[in-house]
Structure formats: structure tokens, C-alpha cells
Amino acid sequence: MLHQNTFVVRTRGRGTLEVTAEVSHIVATSGVGTGLCHLFLQHTSASLILSENADPSVRQDLETAMRRLAPDGDPTNAHDTEGPDDMPAHLRSVLTSNALTIPCAAGRLLLGTWQGIFLWEHRLAPHSRSIVVTVQGDP
């Protein structure tokens, strides 16, 4: 059995936004009992991460670390078409990922106790981001 759905998330600019509930709903209504849920973000300046969902300071620390690895306005970046956060956003996306795969059983995501699915916006301005969710497996 195969089920595919796309949903759009409106970000507030740089930072993380939890999308676990949206993905869980798609899995629960897919008709798939046991299988895999694959998420694909259709963008090159944001990413998907599986992260701690109980303590937001974890994601703050991730942002702080990423700021050191990919600072805005780095004069060595040639690509700055859309501003000083343009190339750093692409670099952050490559260092993380635009896809995740999570196992499912009994129509539920098999996430660990403290795991959540987050869209990590790397641009400073708000954006609309599309996530394709494909659920495949047995009923």
C-alpha cells in the first residue's frame, strides 16, 4: 500500500518548527499499518531534522553551533543573490538533510520518547515550505 500527501508549512524565519503532529496525522489516515514514512522537503535553504522535542534549548544550541559553521555575510561566499543569509542557508541545508525516513507500526510513527520532527528554516525571512510525505507498507 502506498499513500502520498504534501503539506505546506509557513515559517516565521530562521528557527525550528515542529511538524510531528501533521506527519502523525498523515500516517494515521494513510491506511498503512506497518511500513515506512518518508519525508522530503522541496527546498534548498531549509531542512528536516529529528530532534529533542521536550527541551527547546537543544534546538537553540543547534542554531548557535550552526551560526559558527555557516555565518551570515561571510565575505568568502560568492553566492549572495538573495542576501547575506542566502549561501549560509544552502550550506546549513547540506550539512543537515532535506529528507527523513521513520518506521511505522500500528499506523503510528515509531518515534522515541523525546523525538520530534522539525522543519529547520535557515533563511531569516518567513517562507512557505512544502513537505512531501510518502507512507508505504502493509495495511
Side-chain angles (χ1 to χ4, degrees):
M1 174 172 272
L2 180 67
H3 176 82
Q4 191 170 70
N5 196 348
T6 300
F7 68 99
V8 176
V9 176
R10 180 79 179 151
T11 71
R12 295 183 194 102
R14 185 170 287 165
T16 56
L17 184 64
E18 189 166 10
V19 296
T20 308
E22 292 91 334
V23 176
S24 293
H25 177 73
I26 292 169
V27 170
T29 59
S30 70
V32 172
T34 302
L36 296 173
C37 174
H38 184 264
L39 294 86
F40 177 73
L41 181 65
Q42 296 180 300
H43 304 278
T44 60
S45 56
S47 55
L48 293 171
I49 61 170
L50 194 60
S51 186
E52 160 89 44
N53 66 357
D55 185 352
S57 68
V58 170
R59 292 182 312 280
Q60 291 170 347
D61 290 343
L62 288 171
E63 184 61 48
T64 298
M66 195 61 83
R67 218 177 1 243
R68 286 192 302 268
L69 292 171
D72 292 333
D74 184 338
T76 63
N77 289 336
H79 180 76
D80 62 359
T81 306
E82 297 178 33
D85 69 332
D86 194 6
M87 187 57 212
H90 293 298
L91 180 56
R92 288 164 174 240
S93 176
V94 169
L95 290 173
T96 51
S97 183
N98 64 354
L100 292 172
T101 301
I102 302 164
C104 307
R108 293 181 40 246
L109 294 168
L110 291 179
L111 293 171
T113 302
W114 308 113
Q115 290 180 318
I117 303 165
F118 294 85
L119 185 147
W120 191 356
E121 176 62 66
H122 300 306
R123 298 301 306 267
L124 293 171
H127 283 77
S128 289
R129 303 298 192 177
S130 299
I131 301 172
V132 179
V133 181
T134 305
V135 187
Q136 185 171 3
D138 296 325

